[in-house]
Amino acid sequence: MDTTIEQPTQARLVTGEGREVPVRAVLRYTANDPLAVFLDFPAEAALHGEEITWTFARSLLDQGLRAPAGHGDVQIWPYGRTRVVLELHSPHGMALMLFQATALRRFLVRTYGMVACGREDVSAVVERGLSALFGGV
């Protein structure tokens, strides 16, 4: 059984001058980490020329498609009827990305088809986290 969903998508990076620059990205979800979604950007879209992955809660994406959501490094909110804003904060700065809402919804529906909301088995995730924290002790 395939336990990973990958969906290429197009985003638009909003520059400091208000221009929108197209950026390729890949939305990713894995049943091994059922509470998270991953957003992969290629090297040419990153500040330091290396691929970068943002990880955030699947529930944050779900909430952000309907209303403003998030208070930390990742914030999401609807922008008009057809787009969604994803604001990403790091020690290196902030990026404002625009996505088509239909692409994000389609991805989210696919993730719920794999692991339904409320049916996430997080025991393996907790075990891996504790193992990493305590170094296999």
Side-chain angles (χ1 to χ4, degrees), residues 73-120:
D73 293 341
V74 179
Q75 299 173 37
I76 306 172
W77 65 91
Y79 183 68
R81 294 179 183 258
T82 62
R83 298 199 287 179
V84 174
V85 174
L86 183 65
E87 186 175 312
L88 305 169
H89 292 261
S90 82
H92 305 290
M94 185 267 290
L96 200 65
M97 310 291 296
L98 295 172
F99 289 85
Q100 289 297 316
T102 54
L104 297 181
R105 280 191 198 97
R106 183 173 50 248
F107 173 74
L108 194 58
V109 166
R110 291 177 65 204
T111 72
Y112 287 141
M114 180 181 286
V115 179
C117 183
R119 307 287 284 170
E120 299 93 344

Side-chain angles (χ1 to χ4, degrees), residues 39-98:
L39 183 57
D40 302 323
F41 291 102
E44 60 269 14
L47 284 176
H48 299 292
E50 298 176 8
E51 291 182 9
I52 188 162
T53 298
W54 282 83
T55 306
F56 52 94
R58 179 170 71 161
S59 61
L60 178 63
L61 178 58
D62 192 356
Q63 294 165 6
L65 286 167
R66 295 185 306 275
H71 299 287
D73 293 341
V74 179
Q75 299 173 37
I76 306 172
W77 65 91
Y79 183 68
R81 294 179 183 258
T82 62
R83 298 199 287 179
V84 174
V85 174
L86 183 65
E87 186 175 312
L88 305 169
H89 292 261
S90 82
H92 305 290
M94 185 267 290
L96 200 65
M97 310 291 296
L98 295 172

